[in-house]
Amino acid sequence: MQQSRRQFLAAAAASSAAALSGCLEGPGTGGAVTTSGVETVDGPTPPAADNDLHIPYEFAELRSNVVSGGVPKDGIPSIDDPQFKDADDAEIPGGDPVFGVVRDGEAKAYPQDVLVHHEIVNDELAGDAVAVTYCPLTGTVQGFERGDVEFGVSGRLLNANLVMYDRSTDSRWPQMLATAIDGPLEGQTLREFRLVWTTWGSWRRAHPDTQLLTSGTDYLRDYDDDPYGSYNPQRGYYASDDYLFEPLAEDDRDTAKSVVLGARTGEEAVAFDKSVLLNERVLECEGTSTPFVAVADRSLATGFVYENPDERDVTSADDGYRVDGEVHEPDDLPLDRVLAWDAMWFAWAGYYPDTAYVG
Amino acid sequence: MSGETSRSPAAASRVTSLVRRTALAVRGALGRRDGSAVFALTTVGYLAVYLSGIGFLNANDGETAFVVVSDPLARATELMAPYQYEPIALLAAGPVELLFSPVNTLLGLGLGALVGANLAVSWVAYRSPAACGLGSTASAAAGVPALLSGFACCGPTLLIVLGLQATAGLVAAFQWLVPLSVALLVATLLWVGNRVDPAGHSQ
């Protein structure tokens, strides 16, 4: 049975975390903040990453491609007072998708069927203020450090992707780019962290003590109904090759809704077809300025991407991956891990038409 | 100059006459048992379809519940989408679950009443031999504008079903479908109302 509709009403009154490579600034908690290329602003700002990310477009061009998603600002309300319950109290089907994260031993899972109605959860994770964000149209879930700032849904889309706004400066942040393209913080890149897109059954097996976000929000929604279709079983928008909103660029190296594990650094982007990765276990990309290697974690049906500048030999073993003769867990190879997350291919290729692709 | 000033009162007079004849036709139609039945059934039926279309009226799995949000007055006017407002309460009983939004309900009732009035007048005119110049095709066409507001309420879901790609123009157009529906329903009501003989209704 689906999560009970009643559960979302109960409060009606009421990993593998991987930091982006590079040094990170602390949060701006007030007063003037100056970052390279970013205006000086008063008030709190979200923590900025030192390193910019590869964005193969001018901001002006991106701004000119922002379109209305058909809803007003906050018409899709973020969850600002999230409620959780223990795994033992959860009643959602094991095959339903959840987005999981572990920080300092604290495991949390965010069900897709709740996030599809809210897209952003302003939460705390092991004492840190974070925003867990999900865009159903691009199939992307990304975590951001938010400092003293909340994020909301602007109602606008870029490349079919959620454009967030921060409630301090109203700067506009396309989710996948993790960088403000408009407003006082234009040019600032957010600190990101990894959420794993997996199923509730897999996540619970890996983290029996996990907490699960409930549908107990102060908004009334039919959480049994995903307006775009379903992942369990897969149908509707998620199973169709049709776009709803036109991407910035089209690329036929993979089908539109194929899921890729995408990673980007300051210089380039790379995408690994997820189903191929889960089948092959190890995929290498050597056509980039820095070689990358991706390994699968079949227990969670996900993968991890590493820079492999010395092209060290990575092979699959029964209990992990062998690097220079030693076996390691998929999320713990002795290489520099790059933040990577699931995305629909059309959305990844739209933002990164110069991306390397392995599939 | 004198021609322009004399046209305005004439136009106003024509509009007044148009509205008066339509009001008479509606009153006449609702005064008959079959006309009022068509009106009531259409209004209620349209409201149910409208609320279902925007996802506010759903099948229930048997649980019973009544929940109100913490600040219903403020929440009632929060916009979810063009002409779509936040629900403030949930009522679930038997086979039906209703997310209740006062504004959406009023909107659905208003549109339903317009469709109902159109169909009631058309029905009575169609059934009355004395009524002039209103064929069955025209009667059926009178309710078509209501479908436009149906498109408006379903928004992106409809695009998925139809396999259409949204464009900025299409998304903008969705925002105008409800007022366009109201305008077309009023226009068809005036058109239908002026083609029936009010005297014929009483026969």
Side-chain angles (χ1 to χ4, degrees):
Chain A
M1 181 185 144
Q2 293 278 318
Q3 186 172 17
S4 164
R5 287 192 190 111
R6 298 297 91 74
Q7 291 168 349
F8 80 85
L9 303 165
S15 140
S16 27
L20 184 66
S21 60
C23 301
L24 304 168
E25 288 183 0
T29 52
V33 174
T34 307
T35 309
S36 174
V38 177
E39 281 182 37
T40 299
V41 297
D42 291 324
T45 58
D50 268 354
N51 294 344
D52 291 339
L53 290 170
H54 174 61
I55 300 177
Y57 295 96
E58 297 292 333
F59 288 160
E61 184 181 359
L62 293 173
R63 284 194 295 271
S64 70
N65 281 283
V66 172
V67 298
S68 167
V71 295
K73 192 177 184 181
D74 287 327
I76 297 172
S78 62
I79 298 176
D80 301 328
D81 183 21
Q83 308 292 313
F84 291 85
K85 60 184 167 189
D86 293 336
D88 288 344
D89 299 328
E91 295 174 352
I92 68 172
D96 276 11
V98 299
F99 314 131
V101 61
V102 179
R103 180 176 293 187
D104 295 343
E106 181 180 342
K108 282 186 170 181
Y110 302 82
Q112 184 268 343
D113 64 359
V114 175
L115 261 65
V116 74
H117 292 279
H118 297 280
E119 302 195 357
I120 294 176
V121 184
N122 289 300
D123 195 8
E124 288 194 357
L125 193 58
D128 300 326
V130 299
V132 171
T133 67
Y134 168 61
C135 177
L137 291 175
T138 53
T140 43
V141 58
Q142 292 168 252
F144 302 105
E145 308 294 331
R146 63 181 174 87
D148 292 335
V149 181
E150 287 185 345
F151 285 92
V153 178
S154 72
R156 315 283 290 175
L157 298 171
L158 173 62
N159 190 44
N161 182 225
L162 159 69
V163 176
M164 310 181 297
Y165 79 96
D166 69 74
R167 292 181 177 147
S168 176
T169 72
D170 199 27
S171 297
R172 301 306 166 107
W173 310 80
Q175 180 209 31
M176 290 175 66
L177 298 179
T179 299
I181 63 164
D182 200 1
L185 298 180
E186 179 184 329
Q188 178 177 317
T189 298
L190 294 171
R191 288 178 57 181
E192 301 177 272
F193 64 90
R194 172 79 185 268
L195 288 126
V196 173
W197 183 313
T198 184
T199 60
W200 170 240
S202 299
W203 184 256
R204 189 179 175 185
R205 271 192 299 279
H207 304 283
D209 57 345
T210 188
Q211 293 273 298
L212 179 74
L213 177 73
T214 72
S215 47
T217 72
D218 195 31
Y219 286 86
L220 298 172
R221 295 288 185 276
D222 182 0
Y223 288 101
D224 286 349
D225 179 51
D226 180 335
Y228 301 103
S230 164
Y231 276 104
N232 184 28
Q234 195 157 1
R235 57 180 164 74
Y237 174 82
Y238 309 125
S240 158
D241 278 338
D242 297 325
Y243 310 130
L244 203 48
F245 291 87
E246 190 177 6
L248 289 168
E250 295 191 60
D251 191 322
D252 61 4
R253 283 180 284 175
D254 205 340
T255 55
K257 303 289 177 57
S258 285
V259 177
V260 295
L261 191 64
R264 68 274 198 258
T265 63
E267 294 77 36
E268 56 199 340
V270 59
F272 297 89
D273 183 284
K274 190 175 170 183
S275 61
V276 175
L277 176 63
L278 291 174
N279 189 44
E280 303 280 330
R281 295 191 64 196
V282 179
L283 291 177
E284 294 178 338
C285 180
E286 295 166 351
T288 43
S289 61
T290 301
F292 293 91
V293 61
V295 296
D297 179 346
R298 285 176 166 170
S299 68
L300 291 174
T302 190
F304 299 93
V305 176
Y306 296 85
E307 289 183 320
N308 191 13
D310 300 327
E311 301 192 56
R312 293 163 74 180
D313 194 31
V314 178
T315 56
S316 58
D318 287 344
D319 50 352
Y321 294 89
R322 195 178 304 281
V323 183
D324 297 337
E326 281 192 40
V327 175
H328 305 270
E329 294 292 318
D331 63 347
D332 195 30
L333 268 55
L335 297 167
D336 287 334
R337 204 163 92 196
V338 185
L339 185 81
W341 27 264
D342 292 12
M344 292 176 185
W345 166 246
F346 83 90
W348 185 265
Y351 272 136
Y352 306 107
D354 56 353
T355 185
Y357 169 78
V358 183
Chain B
M1 289 289 284
S2 61
E4 286 179 16
T5 50
S6 63
R7 269 203 297 273
S8 294
S13 169
R14 279 180 59 188
V15 170
T16 306
S17 165
L18 205 64
V19 172
R20 189 175 295 134
R21 282 179 63 87
T22 301
L24 273 175
V26 171
R27 200 175 304 145
L30 298 185
R32 286 173 48 138
R33 185 172 295 176
D34 56 348
S36 59
V38 167
F39 175 80
L41 286 173
T42 305
T43 303
V44 172
Y46 183 87
L47 176 64
V49 171
Y50 187 82
L51 293 176
S52 180
I54 61 175
F56 279 38
L57 185 63
N58 304 297
N60 186 36
D61 54 13
E63 295 180 67
T64 301
F66 176 66
V67 182
V68 180
V69 299
S70 55
D71 188 1
L73 283 179
R75 184 62 53 78
T77 53
E78 283 183 25
L79 208 53
M80 295 173 69
Y83 300 99
Q84 195 172 320
Y85 293 83
E86 283 285 349
I88 61 165
L90 177 129
L91 303 90
V96 175
E97 175 194 82
L98 173 69
L99 292 168
F100 176 67
S101 155
V103 183
N104 288 347
T105 304
L106 285 174
L107 198 58
L109 271 176
L111 283 164
L114 275 172
V115 178
N118 267 289
L119 292 186
V121 173
S122 301
W123 171 258
V124 170
Y126 176 64
R127 296 276 296 181
S128 305
C132 56
L134 197 68
S136 55
T137 306
S139 304
V144 168
L147 294 175
L148 282 172
S149 58
F151 290 137
C153 68
C154 300
T157 308
L158 187 77
L159 295 178
I160 294 167
V161 171
L162 298 179
L164 295 176
Q165 187 173 303
T167 63
L170 194 55
V171 171
F174 273 125
Q175 304 178 16
W176 289 99
L177 287 181
V178 169
L180 186 63
S181 294
V182 171
L184 285 174
L185 283 166
V186 170
T188 53
L189 188 59
L190 290 171
W191 182 77
V192 170
N194 276 270
R195 271 158 185 77
V196 296
D197 175 10
H201 286 153
S202 58
Q203 293 177 3

